[in-house]
Amino acid sequence: MQRLADTDRERSTTESEQIIFDSLRWLGIDWDEGPGVGGPYGPYTQMERLPLYREHAERLVREGRAYRCWCTREELQGQREALKAKDPKAEFRYPGTCRDRRDEPAGPSVVRFRTPTAGALTYRDMVFGEVTTPNSAQQDFVLLRSDGIPLYNFGAVVDDVTMDISIVARGRDHMVNTPPQIMIYEALGARVPGFAHLPMMLNQKGAKLSKRDGAVGVFEYRDLGYAPDAVLNYLVRFGWSHGDQEVFSKAELVQAFNWEACGRGDGKFDAKKFLAIDHEHLKSARLVPDDEYARRTVPFLHARGRTSATEEAVKRALYMIRERATTFADAALRLDFVFRDAPEVDPEAARKFLGAEGAARLAGLVLALDGLDGSAWTEPALEACMSAFLAEKGLEIKDVAQAARVALTGKTASPGLFQVMWVLGRDATLARLRAGVELGQRA
RNA sequence: GGCCCCGUCGUCUAGCGGUUAGGACACUGGCCUCUCACGUCGGUAACACGGGUUCAAGUCCCGUCGGGGUCGCCA
């Protein structure tokens, strides 16, 4: 179920909502009921559920569990500042001005919860265990704003109750909301759901992650070329463990996840570890099948200007970069040379490997390779042909490999030579090698 | 400051009274090798500190220190 907390009219926009929905979908997290989809517990956006909150708030007022408060925001703010001026360390609490008020003045009012003044509240957190908070730590918090829009704690609880929610799982920063929420469940006479709080992911400095900490949104990793399952894997495995296993498919995650194995200590985000997990996924055809790999890589190739790249062609070339590429964007970078008419030769690489001597050897190689016809253009045949050529010339593969690599790919680092030749095909291979020979002769 | 939570290598973590404290990432030495990777063998590196309890404590209890969360008519 997807439920939207859109009661903050400032922050909740169509764009922000869209980002939430799209991020979740991209991660492969879907829902059966929700905004736009409908379902038996709708409506699913809080702004469409306003009558429900009002109804529950009125009931609590009627039963004496809550009361109306006519104190204005300005009055409260004034009191807050006055206290702060007197004692900077003091904590401002609503003084209970309207708690026992009998009259009902005109003008806007909020609904406040009547919190117990003594005692303590204990609940059993599914990951932290027993947590006890003195009721004195609570104040008469607001349930419903003067405009009838509920505050988070109230809206969430009314929704949980009316939507039969069984487990509330969220970040540890919500732990302080739990006691007031439980008070509301109980005042409403509702079953209290299970609560599971999860440790937080902090930045490298150990503070709450924010936009200033670089890439923190799901979409940023999508754009960086991460695999959705790898993102999910890193996120879920963060603060949860399953023995020594750390690479999981989405299905395995769903199967293995449990609250008991969740850790309690906060952790720091580690970009390198995250990348390594993505690399593990991209290396595995089980985790990222060829079709998906090609489908996700093509857009990155197009973005690089390699518009001739097709899924079919990428799928065929993929095997030679499987172990090397850490992201789909990286895969596009490594496959780039395949989809160019001619490789973009790195001048430094050419200077080093494509001199007169390199050209001469390449020329010999071209001659040898030219003897292979199209139907014999296979990796083993290519390798055998190379061996014969080397034997005849009394050379070692070291002596020609780099020159050939630069001529074929433009770079000094690439997939295996014979893989490159096979992927490029006979015509492109010979053409590039000949171009390399010319380049070397001119040098 | 009040209230709540946390504390094993740099990082993510295993450990649930008796372990040479394990794995992964990162770093690093070797091997493999046509380059880069992959793979593989090895290395550096941790129980915050102090008291208890116990024959025995990373594991249980208390305290100290350190870190984090939260104190709104935000979520």
Side-chain angles (χ1 to χ4, degrees):
Chain A
M1 176 194 290
Q2 168 75 52
R3 177 171 97 209
L4 191 64
D6 58 349
T7 55
D8 184 331
R9 304 316 291 155
E10 298 277 305
R11 284 199 293 172
S12 194
T13 64
T14 0
E15 296 75 54
S16 66
E17 291 169 9
Q18 206 55 47
I19 289 174
I20 293 169
F21 296 151
D22 293 348
S23 297
L24 254 15
R25 287 216 179 84
W26 182 78
L27 279 176
I29 298 174
D30 222 321
W31 49 93
D32 307 306
E33 315 168 31
V37 189
Y41 292 95
Y44 295 92
T45 65
Q46 294 188 320
M47 287 308 284
E48 293 180 279
R49 301 169 65 81
L50 263 23
L52 207 55
Y53 309 124
R54 178 164 302 251
E55 186 186 304
H56 283 79
E58 278 167 3
R59 186 181 130 204
L60 290 178
V61 170
R62 215 180 312 126
E63 294 171 355
R65 306 305 301 269
Y67 60 90
R68 294 196 178 284
C69 166
W70 286 267
C71 297
T72 67
R73 215 184 298 235
E74 292 70 31
E75 286 168 356
L76 259 18
Q77 192 53 32
Q79 293 171 18
R80 205 186 308 273
E81 279 161 17
L83 181 74
K84 187 114 186 167
K86 209 170 73 187
D87 179 2
K89 285 180 297 197
E91 177 192 13
F92 176 77
R93 318 270 297 262
Y94 175 68
T97 320
C98 301
R99 189 173 170 116
D100 298 310
R101 196 160 176 166
R102 306 299 298 178
D103 60 334
E104 294 212 350
S109 65
V110 301
V111 175
R112 284 184 186 275
F113 189 76
R114 192 186 300 276
T115 57
T117 50
L121 187 147
T122 297
Y123 73 95
R124 179 152 201 88
D125 192 283
M126 293 165 82
V127 346
F128 283 91
E130 231 172 55
V131 180
T132 300
T133 311
N135 289 335
S136 59
Q138 246 55 252
Q139 59 176 322
D140 285 357
F141 53 91
V142 174
L143 260 22
L144 212 58
R145 283 186 266 234
S146 45
D147 58 7
I149 297 176
L151 254 59
Y152 170 71
N153 276 345
F154 188 56
V157 170
V158 170
D159 286 346
D160 288 346
V161 170
T162 53
M163 290 173 161
D164 283 337
I165 299 303
S166 50
I167 297 178
V168 175
R170 53 200 350 183
R172 190 175 60 74
D173 48 341
H174 275 285
M175 214 180 292
V176 290
N177 287 321
T178 308
Q181 290 182 350
I182 289 178
M183 290 177 185
I184 300 173
Y185 284 105
E186 290 176 340
L188 251 20
R191 178 181 56 92
V192 179
F195 284 95
H197 288 96
L198 299 166
M200 300 201 294
M201 182 183 286
L202 275 15
N203 64 21
Q204 262 123 3
K205 289 187 298 241
K208 208 170 173 178
L209 220 44
S210 78
K211 336 284 168 279
R212 306 187 67 85
D213 292 310
V216 294
V218 166
F219 278 176
E220 297 177 74
Y221 289 95
R222 174 197 63 184
D223 297 343
L224 248 21
Y226 280 59
D229 279 15
V231 176
L232 209 53
N233 188 161
Y234 179 72
L235 256 20
V236 175
R237 202 13 251 259
F238 190 98
W240 169 77
S241 61
H242 188 63
D244 282 338
Q245 185 179 354
E246 36 191 11
V247 179
F248 300 80
S249 68
K250 182 180 146 197
E252 288 169 334
L253 247 17
V254 170
Q255 208 277 321
F257 184 83
N258 60 326
W259 301 110
E260 300 73 49
C262 285
R264 285 164 296 282
D266 292 337
K268 294 178 185 171
F269 172 73
D270 183 349
K272 284 187 174 162
K273 179 81 176 192
F274 191 4
L275 216 216
I277 292 291
D278 196 60
H279 192 188
E280 287 300 326
H281 279 251
L282 294 225
K283 275 194 298 191
S284 160
R286 178 180 74 84
L287 265 15
V288 183
D290 285 0
D291 287 316
E292 181 190 348
Y293 201 123
R295 179 164 53 79
R296 294 191 190 277
T297 301
V298 165
F300 288 99
L301 277 161
H302 288 184
R304 303 181 58 82
R306 304 289 82 76
T307 50
S308 67
T310 62
E311 284 183 27
E312 207 47 45
V314 170
K315 200 174 152 185
R316 183 171 174 274
L318 217 168
Y319 79 104
M320 68 179 181
I321 55 149
R322 265 279 185 191
E323 285 160 349
R324 300 163 223 260
T326 54
T327 65
F328 295 121
D330 185 39
L333 173 66
R334 291 169 189 275
L335 251 22
D336 189 275
F337 75 89
V338 174
F339 300 99
R340 285 177 178 274
D341 294 331
E344 187 178 52
V345 180
D346 171 29
E348 177 62 16
R351 194 191 59 74
K352 199 165 172 193
F353 297 108
L354 279 182
E357 190 182 33
R361 288 171 182 171
L362 274 194
L365 180 62
V366 168
L367 233 47
L369 256 23
D370 203 19
L372 274 182
D373 63 55
S375 60
W377 200 264
T378 64
E379 278 184 49
L382 255 9
E383 195 157 0
C385 181
M386 170 73 88
S387 298
F389 163 72
L390 293 175
E392 181 196 326
K393 300 286 183 184
L395 294 170
E396 284 187 76
I397 192 161
K398 289 181 196 305
D399 304 326
V400 294
Q402 285 306 76
R405 189 183 316 283
V406 173
L408 257 16
T409 71
K411 301 192 179 83
T412 53
S414 83
L417 216 44
F418 306 110
Q419 296 179 329
V420 168
M421 289 178 178
W422 182 79
V423 167
L424 248 22
R426 185 176 194 276
D427 293 349
T429 297
L430 292 176
R432 290 183 184 203
L433 253 19
R434 287 191 176 109
V437 171
E438 279 183 40
L439 192 66
Q441 286 168 342
R442 278 204 305 274

